[in-house]
Amino acid sequence: MPMKPIAKAVVTLTAFTVAERTLGFIFKIYLSREIGAVGMGVYSVALSFFFAVLTLITSGIPLVVSKMTAKDGRSSGGVCSAALILELMISLLLCALVLIFKKPIGALFAERESMTLVMIMLPALVFSGVYSAFRGVLWGEKKFAAVSIVELIEQIARIAACVILFALFSDKNKAVAFSMTCACLVSAVACALFYFCGKRKLAPPNAHFKPLFSSALPITLSRTTSSVNNYVIAVAVPFLLMSTGLNSEQSMYIFGSCVGMALPLLYLPITVVGSLAFAMIPTLSQAYAEKDYTNMRRQIENALCFSILVATIVFPVYCALGDDLGTIIYDNTDAGVFLRKSAWLLIPLSFENIASSMLNSLDLEKKSLINYVIGAGVMYIISFAFYSRFNMDIFMISFGASLIVSSVLDIIDIKRRTGFKLTFFKPLIICLAAAYPAWLFTEYVNSIIPQKLIAMFAAAIGGVCFTALLAVVFGAVEFDVNFTRKKRINIFKRKRMQKRAVSQRRAQM
């Protein structure tokens, strides 16, 4: 697939994703002010466990469905039927297991209320299973707009449900959890409508169960490991904070301020990188299946350079404005301080995001899992080495180290499989060198304008433009411009040539 359709897909996905993330960002601000930092901590722990279970349903199977559909669209009906049956069986089994082991699971949480919120969200597992089966077919057919619209509908439904439930019930934490269940139900219905309105039908699934399950298993294990790791972080970080003498409420406040509030802001700028990763999976898989190595290498090199550019452009802005962003957005100084200190995580976050997606597209799912586990192991070794002296600065360093280790291992495996050139080193070095003057420039602009909101907006825009300008000037971004000159013949010269041709024909006669 040529780069122009990929660029079009990325623009489409980014436009919808930015709208979705903007709504989600506004919702998170509203949520943090309604339930507070402690409530955000309790909810974040419950959500991390819920997402760990949800990954077993919505990770491997829809990805494999998309790849199988991209390779052979005629089999999409049977593949979708097989996926629906598998998703429903797995989701019901997981719900039963959570209900059976409710007490021992709840004992792992720092606050028991987190387990109550998990129970409220359990039906969302079944709805998500239905949604992901239909979504896989739409994704494989490159119907990115349809998938994005469904995700936007889900976000709107969740916000609307949450606001209504807040007005009806006094327990806001439970209302937030129930809004997740409502949103998943709406997205499942919307995705099914998109599937059947496109004149698609379900077909007998018999021949597709085994290849679907065998291909999805390693991807599911890899993605589930990531979600389980997030859940372990949600349990381990409060535990390590309490080892320093803090009580459970204090540890939940710190966890909610840093992980519940600041980290989502870090993920916001790399939305476009996530869109690129989403669009690349079917196209890179197709190029790999067709052994089109030239196209593969070009896609990989461009995507890695692009991910670095996006992260390093925003990095100086967060360094300069992190404190103010935390105070103005969340009314929480600690969230702003953590955002400023952890701004450098943007680079490994963005890079690891795109590299791990490439491994899955190149049928290196097991390598992706191993690399992620090694990175996670590095994080826990560093974190627990500071037992009784642990703080969020240590967490930031250990988290960054895990991302860097995983990214390096990913790149080694991708290079072995495709032989692509390490062209991303040049923009990485240039953009890192440009980050410090861009940081100073952003701080200066922020300091000379008296009105805070206007100052922050002007400084952010100025900082991004300044970094982008330096990247272009020093060659981190290269433009290939082709100038074509059209031959124009003077009208009088054309008439003379016509008369000469007529004279020559008469002379020959």
Side-chain angles (χ1 to χ4, degrees):
M1 185 178 179
M3 287 303 293
K4 284 186 178 180
I6 293 179
K8 182 180 178 181
V10 171
V11 170
T12 301
L13 286 167
T14 302
F16 279 104
T17 306
V18 166
E20 179 198 347
R21 294 287 177 88
T22 301
L23 286 174
F25 181 59
I26 295 171
F27 175 62
K28 189 170 285 290
I29 297 171
Y30 168 73
L31 202 61
S32 65
R33 292 178 179 270
E34 288 289 329
I35 65 177
V38 176
M40 285 294 292
V42 172
Y43 177 62
S44 296
V45 171
L47 204 61
S48 63
F49 176 81
F50 172 77
F51 281 147
V53 179
L54 183 66
T55 308
L56 288 166
I57 303 168
T58 61
S59 57
I61 290 178
L63 178 57
V64 174
V65 169
S66 71
K67 291 169 70 175
M68 293 173 73
T69 303
K71 292 177 182 178
D72 183 13
R74 294 171 297 179
S75 64
S76 61
V79 172
C80 187
S81 298
L84 273 172
I85 294 171
L86 286 174
E87 296 278 28
L88 288 173
M89 289 173 59
I90 295 170
S91 60
L92 291 172
L93 176 62
L94 290 173
C95 288
L97 289 173
V98 173
L99 287 170
I100 293 170
F101 297 102
K102 175 184 175 182
K103 288 186 178 180
I105 294 172
L108 297 174
F109 297 129
E111 290 288 339
R112 293 296 180 93
E113 187 183 358
S114 296
M115 192 62 212
T116 304
L117 303 186
V118 170
M119 301 303 294
I120 295 172
M121 291 187 285
L122 270 187
L125 295 176
V126 180
F127 304 143
S128 297
V130 175
Y131 158 75
S132 60
F134 291 121
R135 175 180 179 267
V137 175
L138 297 175
W139 185 5
E141 293 179 353
K142 300 181 181 66
K143 304 295 184 183
F144 300 120
V147 175
S148 300
I149 290 171
V150 172
E151 291 177 351
L152 185 60
I153 290 172
E154 179 181 344
Q155 187 68 265
I156 294 170
R158 189 181 177 203
I159 295 171
C162 191
V163 172
I164 293 170
L165 291 168
F166 275 2
L168 296 176
F169 302 103
S170 58
D171 194 328
K172 294 186 176 181
N173 282 356
K174 292 180 181 178
V176 174
F178 190 64
S179 70
M180 173 67 77
T181 301
C182 296
C184 290
L185 173 60
V186 171
S187 65
V189 173
C191 203
L193 288 173
F194 268 104
Y195 180 88
F196 289 110
C197 288
K199 297 181 180 180
R200 302 175 186 88
K201 296 180 180 180
L202 299 177
N206 299 338
H208 302 288
F209 280 116
K210 186 176 179 180
L212 180 60
F213 183 78
S214 59
S215 298
L217 186 60
I219 301 173
T220 300
L221 290 175
S222 176
R223 299 286 180 88
T224 303
T225 302
S226 174
S227 294
V228 169
N229 183 49
N230 291 334
Y231 165 63
V232 174
I233 289 173
V235 174
V237 171
F239 169 77
L240 288 169
L241 289 171
M242 285 190 286
S243 73
T244 64
L246 301 176
N247 59 35
S248 62
E249 184 174 344
Q250 290 170 329
S251 66
M252 277 297 169
Y253 169 82
I254 295 174
F255 182 77
S257 300
C258 298
V259 177
M261 295 180 181
L263 274 187
L265 283 173
L266 277 179
Y267 283 95
L268 194 62
I270 58 174
T271 296
V272 64
V273 178
S275 300
L276 178 60
F278 187 85
M280 276 189 69
I281 287 176
T283 58
L284 193 58
S285 297
Q286 186 177 358
Y288 176 67
E290 296 172 355
K291 300 187 183 302
D292 186 358
Y293 288 100
T294 302
N295 187 18
M296 254 194 305
R297 294 186 189 111
R298 185 176 69 250
Q299 288 188 47
I300 291 169
E301 291 166 11
N302 290 340
L304 291 174
C305 292
F306 180 72
S307 68
I308 289 170
L309 187 64
V310 170
T312 49
I313 280 177
V314 183
F315 165 51
V317 175
Y318 275 4
C319 288
L321 306 178
D323 289 358
D324 292 335
L325 285 170
T327 303
I328 290 176
I329 294 172
Y330 294 120
D331 193 23
N332 189 301
T333 305
D334 292 326
V337 171
F338 184 79
L339 178 63
R340 170 174 53 82
K341 290 182 177 180
S342 62
W344 64 274
L345 289 174
L346 271 170
I347 299 169
L349 268 174
S350 179
F351 201 85
E352 198 273 339
N353 187 318
I354 197 74
S356 60
S357 294
M358 290 175 182
L359 285 179
N360 291 331
S361 300
L362 299 170
D363 294 338
L364 292 171
E365 296 89 355
K366 292 180 182 178
K367 288 288 187 179
S368 177
L369 172 61
I370 293 169
N371 297 345
Y372 184 84
V373 170
I374 293 172
V378 170
M379 179 180 66
Y380 290 117
I381 290 171
I382 296 174
S383 296
F384 279 90
F386 289 88
Y387 183 81
S388 77
R389 295 172 293 160
F390 183 81
N391 55 40
M392 296 311 292
D393 290 337
I394 300 298
F395 169 72
M396 172 188 66
I397 294 169
S398 63
F399 184 47
S402 74
L403 292 170
I404 293 171
V405 169
S406 297
S407 298
V408 170
L409 295 174
D410 288 347
I411 290 301
I412 292 172
D413 289 327
I414 294 170
K415 184 168 178 57
R416 284 175 179 171
R417 176 57 61 95
T418 65
F420 82 101
K421 296 179 181 179
L422 302 178
T423 54
F424 63 85
F425 274 113
K426 179 181 177 181
L428 176 61
I429 294 170
I430 293 173
C431 289
L432 286 176
Y436 184 66
W439 178 1
L440 296 178
F441 177 80
T442 307
E443 283 189 334
Y444 174 72
V445 174
N446 188 42
S447 65
I448 61 174
I449 301 175
Q451 215 290 325
K452 180 54 66 177
L453 286 176
I454 296 175
M456 289 179 63
F457 182 77
I461 297 298
V464 167
C465 293
F466 188 79
T467 312
L469 178 63
L470 291 178
V472 172
V473 169
F474 291 101
V477 181
E478 296 179 356
F479 296 98
D480 293 328
V481 183
N482 296 321
F483 294 97
T484 57
R485 181 181 297 174
K486 294 182 179 180
K487 293 182 179 180
R488 296 181 179 179
I489 302 176
N490 186 282
I491 186 170
F492 299 107
K493 184 177 180 181
R494 187 183 302 164
K495 288 182 178 180
R496 287 197 299 270
M497 292 173 65
Q498 290 174 349
K499 288 180 179 179
R500 189 178 304 163
V502 172
S503 300
Q504 289 176 350
R505 284 198 297 271
R506 287 177 179 175
Q508 291 173 357
M509 294 174 62

